[in-house]
């Protein structure tokens, strides 16, 4: 079945550092990939989505692209801030079934 | 932005009791979802619901679970009877037809089964 794997459980950076989070996905459908962000005590919220391989999704300084050949999907930001501390989920969307499949999540901690 | 409201935010009950978690989805949305998140772990799909019917459910959606949305009121998740392993945060989500496929999530209902 469809699946998403995030290997980085936790990432700790300093302010203004470069962020790169990667995940891999598996699906028999044409994928739509999302990054959702979850702040403490809240539900996940959409950060950005990418519907076409090698196209770039951009939101709030974050960028993401996915590579169909390697079935990988990454999120990056040039300069992180303390307010970016949260859990980031790589998410696979299946339009036919209308459900989202979440990866394990990457907890980003930013040292002031 | 659009808001999904969940009631209660936290409930503590004894094992074997019944619990109903309530969700007020975004007003014009047609598709409704429940996800389960055990503390510190990933979000896991339970069930999705459209036009009064369950569209798909996962293995986590045990026979003791049920969902309904009577007459456009709250979308509910009922667990009867509850078990210790049902302790988790349950997130409701909704979306509109087509569009971006984006789900809007509530803030979650934390269930503690003793």
């Amino acid at each position: 079945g469809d699946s998403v794997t995030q290997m980085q459980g936790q990432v700790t950076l300093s302010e203004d550092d470069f962020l790169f989070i990667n995940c891999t996905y598996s699906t028999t459908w044409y994928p739509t990939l999302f990054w959702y962000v979850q702040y403490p005590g809240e539900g996940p919220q959409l950060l950005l989505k990418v519907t076409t391989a090698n196209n770039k999704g951009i939101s709030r300084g974050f960028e993401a692209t996915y590579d169909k050949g390697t079935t990988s999907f990454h999120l990056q930001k040039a300069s992180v801030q303390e307010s970016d501390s949260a859990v980031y989920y790589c998410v696979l969307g299946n339009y036919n079934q209308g459900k989202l499949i979440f990866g394990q999540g990457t907890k980003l901690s930013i040292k002031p | 932005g659009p808001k999904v409201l969940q009631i209660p935010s936290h409930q503590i009950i004894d094992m074997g009791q019944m619990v109903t978690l309530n969700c007020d989805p975004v007003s014009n949305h047609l598709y409704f979802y429940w996800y389960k998140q055990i503390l510190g772990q990933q979000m896991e799909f339970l069930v999705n619901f459209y036009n009064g019917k369950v569209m798909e459910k996962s293995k986590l959606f045990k026979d003791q679970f049920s969902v309904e949305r009577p007459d456009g009121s709250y979308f509910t998740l009922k667990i009867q009877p509850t078990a210790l392993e049902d302790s988790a945060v349950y997130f409701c989500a909704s979306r509109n037809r087509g569009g971006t496929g984006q789900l809007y999530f509530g803030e979650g209902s934390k269930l503690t089964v003793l």
Side-chain angles (χ1 to χ4, degrees):
Chain A
D2 295 349
S3 66
V4 179
T5 302
Q6 284 178 257
M7 299 302 292
Q8 298 158 283
Q10 175 131 6
V11 172
T12 301
L13 299 172
S14 299
E15 278 198 320
D16 298 324
D17 279 353
F18 173 71
L19 169 70
F20 184 91
I21 303 174
N22 196 47
C23 77
T24 57
Y25 66 91
S26 173
T27 181
T28 54
W29 295 89
Y30 194 84
T32 293
L33 290 152
F34 304 81
W35 285 98
Y36 272 74
V37 58
Q38 185 177 26
Y39 299 99
E42 298 183 13
Q45 54 183 273
L46 178 67
L47 179 59
L48 50 76
K49 79 164 192 174
V50 180
T51 56
T52 307
N54 302 319
N55 276 12
K56 190 179 290 186
I58 300 174
S59 175
R60 303 188 233 168
F62 290 87
E63 297 181 3
T65 55
Y66 79 84
D67 184 323
K68 204 173 175 185
T70 58
T71 63
S72 64
F73 184 45
H74 78 266
L75 177 72
Q76 66 182 61
K77 188 177 185 186
S79 175
V80 294
Q81 303 303 307
E82 196 174 352
S83 57
D84 294 325
S85 297
V87 179
Y88 292 81
Y89 290 98
C90 177
V91 180
L92 173 64
N94 182 319
Y95 269 128
N96 186 55
Q97 296 172 335
K99 74 179 185 186
L100 299 183
I101 299 165
F102 282 72
Q104 295 86 344
T106 298
K107 184 176 180 181
L108 175 63
S109 300
I110 307 297
K111 296 181 287 187
Chain B
K3 290 280 191 186
V4 173
L5 300 176
Q6 289 189 240
I7 301 168
S9 56
H10 190 188
Q11 181 135 14
I12 302 172
I13 60 172
D14 290 323
M15 182 176 61
Q17 286 188 312
M18 181 195 76
V19 67
T20 300
L21 305 179
N22 299 289
C23 172
D24 187 10
V26 178
S27 61
N28 61 340
H29 284 187
L30 302 174
Y31 296 81
F32 313 113
Y33 300 76
W34 284 103
Y35 280 77
K36 177 182 180 181
Q37 185 177 44
I38 294 174
L39 184 64
Q41 298 185 22
Q42 72 191 96
M43 298 278 291
E44 298 192 270
F45 169 79
L46 283 177
V47 65
N48 61 355
F49 188 87
Y50 168 73
N51 198 25
K53 298 174 189 172
V54 169
M55 301 296 290
E56 185 186 358
K57 56 187 180 181
S58 72
K59 292 178 185 176
L60 295 178
F61 194 80
K62 304 179 295 184
D63 291 343
Q64 297 91 325
F65 288 40
S66 62
V67 291
E68 63 176 354
R69 194 188 187 210
D71 301 323
S73 60
Y74 285 145
F75 175 52
T76 62
L77 173 66
K78 183 185 292 186
I79 309 174
Q80 181 178 25
T82 50
L84 294 176
E85 60 265 26
D86 296 332
S87 293
V89 180
Y90 292 84
F91 289 94
C92 175
S94 69
R95 73 172 177 93
N96 207 343
R97 186 193 305 273
T100 65
Q102 176 182 354
L103 294 191
Y104 292 84
F105 285 85
E107 295 192 343
S109 292
K110 183 177 180 180
L111 176 65
T112 302
V113 181
L114 302 176

